[in-house]
Amino acid sequence: MDLNFTATEESFRAEARAWLEANVPHNLPSGDTREGFDLHVLWEKKLYDARWSAVSWPTEFGGRGSSLWEWLIFEEEYYRAGGPQRVTQNGIFLLAPTIFEFGTDEQKATFLPRMAAADDLWCQGWSEPDAGSDLAGIKSRATRDDAAGGWILNGQKTWTTRGAFCNWVFGLFRTDPDAARHSGMTYMMVPLDAPGVTVRGVERLDGDEGFAEVFLDDVFVSDDLVLGGVNEGWGVAMATTSSERGLTLRSPGRYCAAADRLVDLWKRQSKIGTADPSLRDAVAQSWMEAEAYRLATLADVSGLVEGKSSGARSSLTKIFWSELDVNLNETAVRLLGPAGELIEGSPDAIDDGAWMKAFEFSLSGPIYAGTNEIQRNVVAERVLGLPRK
Amino acid sequence: MRFAFTDDQLLFRDTVGELFAKECAPEAVRWSWNDVTGRNPELWAALAEMGVTGLTVPEAHGGMGMNEVDLLPILTEAGRYAFPGPIVETIAVAAPMLAESAPAAIAERWLPGIADGSVIATVALTGQPFVTDAHIADVLLAQRDDRIFAVPAENLRLTPQTSVDGARRLFVAEWDEADAELIASGDEGLRCADRAFNRGAAATAAVLIGLSEQMIATTVAYVSERKQFGVPIGSFQAVKHHLADAELKVSFSRPSVWNAAYSIAHNVPDVDRDVSMAKCFASDAAEVASRKALQCHGAIGYTTEHDLHFWLKRSWALAAAWGDAAWHRRRVAHLLLDQG
Ligand SMILES: Cc1cc2nc3c(=O)[nH]c(=O)nc-3n(C[C@H](O)[C@H](O)[C@H](O)COP(=O)(O)OP(=O)(O)OC[C@H]3O[C@@H](n4cnc5c(N)ncnc54)[C@H](O)[C@@H]3O)c2cc1C
């Protein structure tokens, strides 16, 4: 057991820290609004220009070829410096691992560099009005058009995060309506500016237009936009969702930085005499939960670099980070007392209402990326081995 | 960076685990409840033979000179088998106290015996009114204000207490300073006590992880067998979620416990915080695991004929020993919030 990083890793950290401290933008409006999204894309391009947007990718695709440890260090430094949400995350952290695993050389060369550079902005199209937790229940279908060399899509996707601002969507479509539920689906990448696509933004709980509905009406998708084999989409999709549950979507750096800000909030509130002493334990508990997630990640990554995958244990990870996030932000809002309900723009809002905003978003964590009820089923069945039926 | 045990550490754990599987099966724990001393000297001798009792004793005193990280997997194994005996007190706490703080003559008097299994040591720091295993101990390491003493067993006056865990043996121990040897005093004495307390808390946390893992494992086995409504009860979602909750708690406590052992072994500046976090999480996890285990067993788990209660009661006792979750959470709160 050795909890020290190497000299090379430490110099990577120093380089990242120096660059981030000099460049991280503060007070960007939410990236889940039109205006904010555009400003976030400018920031993403700046990250890319300095080759920080996708550090773990090979250099030929726009990364730095960094190790998993360096990626974790970068994440820690990014959030420590107060870096904003990553509006490119669905591409860089969720689609890209799938392209690396299943994509053709041509697909890699076409999509990865544009993704790293924030030239293409990706959203995920899994959910449909009648298929949420039961993803295999999707109905959007793709019919073969041999003459044109591709597929004709019809149907509807929903809850598509930042769908109204992105230019590409990836997701599953039913290519064989007669096949069993988990077969007969194909993973496709669809340009949102194609004829027949209509996107309608939907306001989320926090008031941002962060959701969208995507309507597909005879949309043509050429064969080179199919990722993995035809009718093999379920297996390909599962690779993406396990990245989403695990480490790549939500690295510990984000929660450790939030926990440090909570401690700082406690100290500020104490100084002016408004910290409710009965919340001390909750502040400590939140800080410890973030630290526990960091330590669990160090253990997981130690296994990963030696070729031991965490498998279904990623479901435990998803439950843990989403619940710790709710506890942490709920504690912060309580600490604010009467000011807790004040939102962005209200004159007396503390930290410009950021805690209520974060609390609202944290409440979605137990829902997206597979609800925590579904994750508990997975833990029981695939980690503990309990009988399915 | 490598936050994992070495193959050697895991091999040693497996060897000790095999010994426990043979010599510390549930019948042995039941025997311990009913026997007068409740302690099996042959099992302790077998542990000594393997090098377990000497693990933390310096080589110069006949031990293996290893550290908290090496010891941790063994403690977790001891928890898994609900091993009755002073493994935390003698091996995790007393031996390092003597090695780090005692004058050479006192260290040499006790340490070689700990290594070869002939000496059992127990501990009473400030705030610990009940001494475990004093009836079989050869020496008590005790704190009085800022002084730490070694009190030979013949100079102790013992009043037995009765724990809910019938395999535990607790005593109030009285003694006179005239009959004790001074190990350390003043700042050195307080430092010795602080380090001993951290070692005891972290080691107990490691034992709690083993207890929790075993409660989950036996419950998984039980609910996969037991049928109601024509199906295994483990196929009901409510039962699944109870066990998933327990697994979640244990999974995110385990790395904190490893980290606490590492921080003690390497004198990390935040050691107090790391240890308290570990004990807080391990105590909470054991409480959740014990509740869920009992609930999923139903009435059979509510008997003393079934073995489950050995684990439940040991978890209650150890969740509270060496500071309970609330105490350690407050210590973390103090360290985080009251400075700067
Ligand atoms: C902020 C946010 C962002 C999102 N972004 C995207 C996106 O970009 N792309 C996308 O495709 N989707 C996205 N989603 C949708 C998300 O994937 C779904 O909300 C999720 O899969 C749950 O589906 P549902 O909302 O239809 O709920 P339902 O499946 O209807 O579930 C409702 C409730 O019933 C419970 N339930 C359902 N089935 C079971 C079961 N078998 N056992 C126990 N309980 C069960 C659920 O746990 C939940 O509590 C997003 C959601 C949120 C909140």
Side-chain angles (χ1 to χ4, degrees):
Chain A
M1 203 173 275
D2 174 10
L3 297 190
N4 298 298
F5 286 108
T6 62
T8 320
E9 287 160 347
E10 287 299 350
S11 68
F12 174 90
R13 182 192 293 282
E15 188 190 346
R17 180 173 294 186
W19 189 86
L20 288 163
E21 275 173 2
N23 290 284
V24 158
H26 293 285
N27 308 319
L28 285 188
S30 163
D32 297 302
T33 59
R34 159 68 59 197
E35 172 212 16
F37 186 81
D38 293 343
L39 293 169
H40 276 77
V41 171
L42 291 179
W43 161 239
E44 290 290 337
K45 289 185 180 295
K46 195 166 182 180
L47 271 174
Y48 170 73
D49 288 339
R51 290 297 182 278
W52 292 114
S53 70
V55 292
S56 60
W57 293 11
T59 46
E60 55 176 314
F61 299 122
R64 291 183 170 233
S66 301
S67 69
L68 204 45
W69 290 122
E70 287 168 334
W71 176 76
L72 266 186
I73 291 171
F74 176 76
E75 288 282 304
E76 244 173 60
E77 292 301 323
Y78 185 87
Y79 290 103
R80 186 182 166 276
Q85 69 181 118
R86 299 288 306 274
V87 296
T88 50
Q89 72 174 29
N90 290 341
I92 292 175
F93 296 129
L94 305 181
L95 173 60
T98 315
I99 294 184
F100 278 118
E101 192 173 342
F102 297 94
T104 61
D105 287 345
E106 199 190 325
Q107 285 171 330
K108 288 179 195 162
T110 310
F111 291 112
L112 294 173
R114 292 182 55 79
M115 193 187 292
D119 288 336
D120 287 334
L121 295 150
W122 289 87
C123 56
Q124 321 186 66
W126 310 116
S127 307
E128 297 183 2
D130 291 328
S133 298
D134 185 12
L135 179 58
I138 60 155
K139 296 201 183 90
S140 292
R141 62 185 192 284
T143 1
R144 186 69 204 152
D145 184 342
D146 270 329
W151 300 84
I152 310 286
L153 310 190
N154 278 287
Q156 183 195 339
K157 297 290 175 182
T158 191
W159 314 131
T160 318
T161 292
R162 292 183 288 277
F165 321 134
C166 291
N167 62 334
W168 283 88
V169 63
F170 59 92
L172 284 181
F173 297 87
R174 203 160 277 290
T175 32
D176 179 355
D178 302 324
R181 264 164 56 84
H182 292 84
S183 325
M185 287 179 277
T186 301
Y187 194 122
M188 294 186 185
M189 301 180 282
V190 184
L192 287 173
D193 54 7
V197 178
T198 313
V199 180
R200 185 181 82 89
V202 176
E203 191 172 292
R204 297 189 313 201
L205 184 72
D206 61 1
D208 289 351
E209 192 191 341
F211 279 148
E213 292 175 309
V214 178
F215 300 91
L216 303 149
D217 193 7
D218 287 334
V219 176
F220 178 73
V221 163
S222 52
D223 283 333
D224 54 349
L225 297 179
V226 168
L227 191 52
V230 170
N231 293 333
E232 286 167 13
W234 184 258
V236 181
M238 287 306 106
T240 302
T241 52
S242 69
S243 317
E244 186 177 29
R245 284 198 289 268
L247 189 63
T248 51
L249 178 67
R250 296 287 181 252
S251 67
R254 172 179 175 135
Y255 303 106
C256 290
D260 287 340
R261 284 198 303 277
L262 176 66
V263 165
D264 176 64
L265 179 68
W266 166 275
K267 290 181 179 172
R268 282 186 282 148
Q269 296 291 94
S270 290
K271 245 179 225 139
I272 54 172
T274 60
D276 174 353
S278 72
L279 291 171
R280 270 175 74 92
D281 284 357
V283 172
Q285 180 71 21
S286 285
W287 187 91
M288 288 191 288
E289 286 175 4
E291 172 73 357
Y293 182 37
R294 185 182 74 85
L295 292 168
T297 303
L298 294 180
D300 278 354
V301 173
S302 298
L304 281 175
V305 298
E306 290 172 12
K308 292 174 217 139
S309 143
S310 45
R313 299 195 72 83
S314 68
S315 288
L316 286 162
T317 305
K318 196 264 151 162
I319 302 171
F320 195 78
W321 62 247
S322 59
E323 295 184 355
L324 93 79
D325 199 29
V326 174
N327 295 340
L328 193 158
N329 288 294
E330 187 176 57
T331 301
V333 169
R334 286 185 181 156
L335 254 178
L336 295 176
E341 68 176 289
L342 301 183
I343 63 172
E344 191 179 358
S346 182
D348 284 356
I350 293 171
D351 299 337
D352 199 24
W355 292 106
M356 176 52 83
K357 175 104 184 159
F359 170 64
E360 286 183 294
F361 185 64
S362 75
L363 291 175
S364 68
I367 301 174
Y368 68 76
T371 72
N372 286 10
E373 287 75 22
I374 298 293
Q375 304 308 330
R376 282 180 162 84
N377 293 347
V378 173
V379 169
E381 290 165 10
R382 294 197 228 141
V383 175
L384 298 175
L386 291 178
R388 288 212 152 181
K389 280 274 150 23
Chain B
M1 174 70 64
R2 186 173 185 277
F3 194 31
F5 293 97
T6 62
D7 289 344
D8 283 348
Q9 286 164 336
L10 297 178
L11 190 67
F12 194 21
R13 173 200 68 183
D14 291 345
T15 315
V16 176
E18 281 163 27
L19 174 70
F20 283 140
K22 253 195 254 128
E23 306 298 334
C24 192
E27 307 86 79
V29 182
R30 189 173 292 278
W31 169 86
S32 174
W33 270 63
N34 299 322
D35 184 68
V36 181
T37 68
R39 295 296 176 263
N40 174 358
E42 282 162 28
L43 180 50
W44 194 262
L47 289 170
E49 185 70 25
M50 282 182 171
V52 174
T53 63
L55 197 145
T56 54
V57 173
E59 282 168 307
H61 294 287
M64 295 170 66
M66 298 210 244
N67 70 21
E68 284 72 15
V69 176
D70 300 304
L71 177 60
L72 189 147
I74 311 280
L75 293 165
T76 298
E77 237 29 43
R80 191 180 322 285
Y81 290 93
F83 169 69
I87 192 164
V88 168
E89 294 77 2
T90 302
I91 305 167
V93 183
M97 271 175 105
L98 288 163
E100 276 180 8
S101 306
I106 300 179
E108 185 53 27
R109 174 165 176 201
W110 302 111
L111 284 171
I114 291 179
D116 71 22
S118 61
V119 166
I120 284 176
T122 189
V123 189
L125 302 177
T126 301
Q128 295 181 313
F130 309 119
V131 184
T132 59
D133 287 281
H135 64 315
I136 55 158
D138 300 283
V139 60
L140 168 72
L141 302 187
Q143 177 182 12
R144 217 164 249 185
D145 303 321
D146 63 354
R147 287 158 304 150
I148 310 290
F149 294 92
V151 195
E154 59 271 21
N155 300 335
L156 295 172
R157 296 181 296 278
L158 300 180
T159 312
Q161 305 286 334
T162 313
S163 167
V164 65
D165 173 4
R168 253 163 94 78
R169 294 292 188 276
L170 301 180
F171 302 85
V172 169
E174 290 168 289
W175 48 280
D176 301 319
E177 285 181 27
D179 301 327
E181 301 165 309
L182 185 67
I183 289 182
S185 61
D187 286 348
E188 181 47 38
L190 291 176
R191 246 196 317 278
C192 173
D194 284 350
R195 287 188 57 78
F197 178 75
N198 278 342
R199 287 197 167 102
T204 304
V207 175
L208 283 163
I209 295 293
L211 288 164
S212 301
E213 287 175 356
Q214 182 61 12
M215 287 188 286
I216 294 172
T218 50
T219 309
V220 164
Y222 180 75
V223 303
S224 304
E225 284 294 311
R226 164 82 173 163
K227 286 190 175 162
Q228 286 293 281
F229 303 96
V231 293
I233 54 174
S235 64
F236 296 124
Q237 195 171 60
V239 170
K240 286 181 177 168
H241 286 196
H242 278 316
L243 284 162
D245 285 340
E247 180 65 24
L248 182 70
K249 282 283 191 183
V250 179
S251 295
F252 284 88
S253 304
R254 199 181 288 118
S256 320
V257 177
W258 297 1
N259 185 53
Y262 182 91
S263 293
I264 297 171
H266 297 273
N267 277 310
V268 168
D270 287 321
V271 61
D272 289 351
R273 188 193 72 198
D274 293 344
V275 166
S276 278
M277 170 170 163
K279 183 61 168 60
C280 174
F281 273 43
S283 293
D284 274 347
E287 272 168 24
V288 171
S290 66
R291 286 267 196 100
K292 302 293 187 182
L294 175 55
Q295 186 66 20
C296 294
H297 273 79
I300 189 72
Y302 198 72
T303 66
T304 55
E305 287 178 15
H306 195 281
D307 297 334
L308 181 65
H309 80 114
F310 301 143
W311 278 263
L312 301 179
K313 291 169 180 171
R314 185 71 53 81
S315 329
W316 304 341
L318 294 189
W322 299 90
D324 66 4
W327 190 92
H328 282 285
R329 194 179 291 109
R330 274 201 306 277
R331 185 161 81 147
V332 173
H334 171 65
L335 293 168
L336 282 176
L337 306 178
D338 296 338
Q339 33 221 285

